[in-house]
Amino acid sequence: QKTKIFYISLTDNQDLAFEYLQNCDGVLDVQYSKRNMMKDESTPTKKTCLNILLPAIGQILSAIFFPMSGVISSRLSNRPGYAPVTTSLPTQPVGGTLEVTYNEDITGVRNIVDGVESHTKTKCEAWDSLSYQLKQKSIDTRRQKEISEWKNQFLFSIAFALPIFMISMVL
């Protein structure tokens, strides 16, 4: 049994593609790529001061700046044509990369990609595992190079700013 892994990158409808690939013949496993997985609420988070203080600060600020909001919304709800609006942030990314393990004897990359594109109505890109790793490596090296450039620029600016600051404090 020949199994291979490749990656599908989508700009939209990742969940729809995930659902399609789970039911596709020849696809053995589908996973969200580890690079772009977001934290689930089911995973425990570390207790930090910000996690504890931010909700309390938000309640205090809303009580100070919007003390009448509850009264206003209750009065508006009695009027015809009023509908309250609620928003929520998505817990999973809309687009991203899926890692697909498939049986090469049953199906091929082209069949899987064509099926995903027709099912999601979204263009997608496919990479084999080696080229995906090379792409991620090049992104990481570019990011490290950019970080070192910013560090060098910061140190260069400190080298000129610190003496000027010291001279201005003395004079």
Side-chain angles (χ1 to χ4, degrees):
Q1 194 178 29
K2 295 181 185 178
T3 60
K4 286 197 169 184
I5 297 175
F6 78 99
Y7 297 87
I8 295 180
S9 180
L10 297 137
T11 56
D12 203 13
N13 297 330
Q14 182 182 12
D15 292 332
L16 194 61
F18 185 84
E19 179 183 308
Y20 169 76
L21 288 170
Q22 284 181 327
N23 300 323
C24 189
D25 287 337
V27 174
L28 305 174
D29 186 36
V30 182
Q31 296 178 0
Y32 291 103
S33 177
K34 294 168 188 69
R35 285 251 173 207
N36 60 330
M37 284 177 53
M38 294 179 64
K39 280 187 180 177
D40 230 354
E41 273 122 43
S42 61
T43 60
T45 58
K46 290 194 319 188
K47 292 270 185 189
T48 62
C49 292
L50 285 178
N51 289 346
I52 296 168
L53 290 178
L54 282 180
I57 291 171
Q59 289 175 352
I60 291 169
L61 289 177
S62 65
I64 292 170
F65 292 109
F66 306 109
M68 298 294 288
S69 63
V71 174
I72 292 171
S73 65
S74 65
R75 287 186 182 170
L76 283 175
S77 63
N78 296 334
R79 302 216 175 208
Y82 171 78
V85 176
T86 58
T87 59
S88 63
L89 296 174
T91 57
Q92 290 199 358
V94 177
T97 304
L98 296 173
E99 182 179 314
V100 181
T101 306
Y102 68 100
N103 187 345
E104 192 177 33
D105 295 333
I106 298 174
T107 188
V109 175
R110 183 173 294 170
N111 291 339
I112 295 171
V113 170
D114 288 344
V116 167
E117 285 181 350
S118 66
H119 189 72
T120 61
K121 308 284 190 272
T122 304
K123 284 286 187 190
C124 61
E125 297 179 31
W127 298 283
D128 63 340
S129 60
L130 182 62
S131 64
Y132 182 75
Q133 291 169 357
L134 290 174
K135 179 183 175 193
Q136 291 302 323
K137 191 173 185 179
S138 69
I139 289 171
D140 289 341
T141 55
R142 188 181 74 229
R143 185 176 296 137
Q144 291 298 324
K145 183 180 176 185
E146 187 176 328
I147 288 170
S148 66
E149 286 177 6
W150 277 101
K151 179 183 170 187
N152 291 339
Q153 289 177 359
F154 177 72
L155 294 175
F156 184 76
S157 65
I158 289 291
F160 285 101
L162 206 57
I164 292 173
F165 177 73
M166 296 304 283
I167 291 170
S168 67
M169 292 299 286
V170 172
L171 298 176

